[in-house]
Amino acid sequence: MNKYMITYAAIEPEKGRCLSMVNIKQNRCVNMIARLFNAPLGDTETAVGVGTVGSSEAIMLAGLAFKRKWQNRRRAQGKPIDNPNIVTGANVQVCWEKFARYFEVELKEVKLSDGYYVMDPRKAVEMVDENTICVAAILGSTLNGEFEDVKLLNRLLTEKNKETGWETPIHVDAASGGFIAPFIYPDLEWDFQLPLVKSINVSGHKYGLVYAGIGWVIWRSKEELPDELIFHINYLGSDQPTFTLNFSKGSSQIIAQYYQLIRLGFEGYKMIMENCQDNAKILKEGLEATGRFNIISKDVGVPLVAFSLKNNSLHNEFEISEMLRRYGWIVPAYTMPPDAQHVTVLRVVIREDFSRTLAERLVGDIERVLHDLDTLPARVNAKLAAAAEGGKADQAVASSSKKGAIDLQREVTVAWKKFVLDKKRGVC
């Protein structure tokens, strides 16, 4: 970002203004991030945005702006304003559900499908109606890191707006991908280059390389943020516009974000993101080499690896997650949202401090866990299900029925105890 920073790091507030240094730094960060996202600004024009407490607050503020603009437009047309809705994929982060519930907006979710774990732009546009305040696209799904096709969404929604006379806009939730795509996918069209993208949020505490508690929301222009949502205070010595849901909060994260942007610059962020991408590739290739996993994540997206077992009839992803904790790893296992809830996934997010050595060590530990699981009895339910299949299975069912569930549970417990005792031997 040096090419942005050289221009904007020296911007000073208008003479006579007594803004605090933190506000000055926040405004500089907003300007740098807005230009990183290709906001249509002149050389001396100031960007519109604000630092928030994570992307959750950023999404709330963006949603409020969309709702208020929709209400104002409907009032001017003499139409009712009592049924606003927002269209998203079922893979959205929970903060979108919070926005919908807290601010009385219907959440219309595009269901996922087997093998397609992000929002389908075509299905999303079909769900848009005159009460839709915006369509939210995700640049970096929490579930598998995949980037949704914002360019296709923009094209399809533009066509629908022309047919209907509506003005349905797009918000891009770039919480994870906003500090990735500009550096390693510079030709990807997802930001303010697309006319219908009116606001973007990004998390500084994810790939912005700042500790937890900082997010950003940027608007395309000041016209996209209704004036009635902005408050003005002057008790600090000058007029200061404010648009937040949180009130008293620390300034350390904003200072840290400013420091990182200035210190690393465009080339520094690019090198870090490329390194994360390379380490994700190492991990992916190591998992594929085991022959035991399907890779759910995509090559283009957030540097993470999401994967699932090819055969989970005997042991499942939750067991792998639990046993990896013994080796010091916290690898979450979870099911996909509707209509892909039958798919269970493990996910490893690659950050700046996740080295190639750690990637190779994790693969080795996963192989050890797989070996340990292979030596244990299968889950009771799996044994009963397997016993229900054909010929010899009938005998197994009868045998298992005689033993009863308690006996089977004892068998599993004994095996686990033996496993744990074996692990303890030889340890000082």
Side-chain angles (χ1 to χ4, degrees), residues 54-313:
S55 273
S56 294
E57 184 189 10
I59 285 168
M60 303 286 174
L61 297 180
L64 281 172
F66 282 121
K67 182 179 179 182
R68 185 58 60 91
K69 283 208 68 175
W70 174 83
Q71 289 175 328
N72 292 344
R73 187 165 59 248
R74 298 278 290 179
R75 285 194 185 98
Q77 296 169 347
K79 296 180 179 178
I81 60 170
D82 53 348
N83 291 307
N85 68 68
I86 187 168
V87 176
T88 71
N91 57 314
V92 291
Q93 224 269 354
V94 69
C95 58
W96 284 100
E97 298 177 34
K98 289 181 179 179
F99 165 75
R101 189 175 302 178
Y102 295 165
F103 296 103
E104 299 181 326
V105 177
E106 179 190 0
L107 187 66
K108 299 171 71 173
E109 293 184 340
V110 178
K111 302 302 181 185
L112 309 186
S113 59
D114 200 5
Y116 197 91
Y117 304 119
V118 293
M119 180 180 72
D120 185 334
R122 293 174 180 81
K123 293 180 180 178
V125 172
E126 288 174 2
M127 296 176 73
V128 170
D129 59 32
E130 64 178 350
N131 293 320
T132 302
I133 64 174
C134 80
V135 179
I138 304 177
L139 195 78
S141 172
T142 301
L143 303 176
N144 69 343
E146 186 174 352
F147 292 166
E148 293 181 345
D149 194 341
V150 187
K151 184 177 181 180
L152 176 59
L153 176 63
N154 181 84
R155 180 173 65 80
L156 296 175
L157 195 53
T158 298
E159 293 171 1
K160 184 157 189 174
N161 284 344
K162 286 181 180 179
E163 293 171 3
T164 60
W166 302 335
E167 300 177 31
T168 310
I170 295 172
H171 174 85
V172 178
D173 180 355
S176 295
F179 278 114
I180 295 170
F183 305 110
I184 57 179
Y185 306 114
D187 297 328
L188 185 68
E189 294 182 43
W190 64 273
D191 55 16
F192 292 122
Q193 296 177 82
L194 303 174
L196 289 183
V197 175
K198 305 300 183 181
S199 56
I200 301 172
N201 69 276
V202 64
S203 291
H205 61 233
K206 289 189 173 73
Y207 288 92
L209 308 180
V210 179
Y211 40 84
I214 182 66
W216 303 92
V217 57
I218 310 294
W219 282 273
R220 184 182 192 88
S221 64
K222 62 182 180 181
E223 288 74 26
E224 304 304 329
L225 179 57
D227 288 338
E228 61 264 36
L229 294 178
I230 302 173
F231 292 84
H232 293 265
I233 59 173
N234 63 4
Y235 52 75
L236 294 179
S238 65
D239 177 67
Q240 295 187 33
T242 176
F243 179 37
T244 64
L245 292 176
N246 290 280
F247 301 92
S248 298
K249 59 184 179 183
S251 61
S252 58
Q253 292 94 341
I254 289 175
I255 295 170
Q257 184 74 84
Y258 182 67
Y259 170 78
Q260 289 287 61
L261 292 173
I262 294 295
R263 173 179 175 267
L264 295 172
F266 189 94
E267 293 302 322
Y269 269 90
K270 184 173 185 290
M271 289 176 63
I272 290 171
M273 300 311 154
E274 287 176 341
N275 186 60
C276 291
Q277 187 182 42
D278 290 343
N279 290 330
K281 184 178 179 181
I282 295 296
L283 179 58
K284 173 190 171 186
E285 291 174 349
L287 293 171
E288 288 176 328
T290 67
R292 303 284 293 271
F293 297 105
N294 290 315
I295 303 300
I296 305 299
S297 49
K298 304 296 183 182
D299 290 334
V300 176
V302 176
L304 64 78
V305 183
F307 54 103
S308 62
L309 283 165
K310 290 182 178 179
N311 179 7
N312 61 4
S313 62

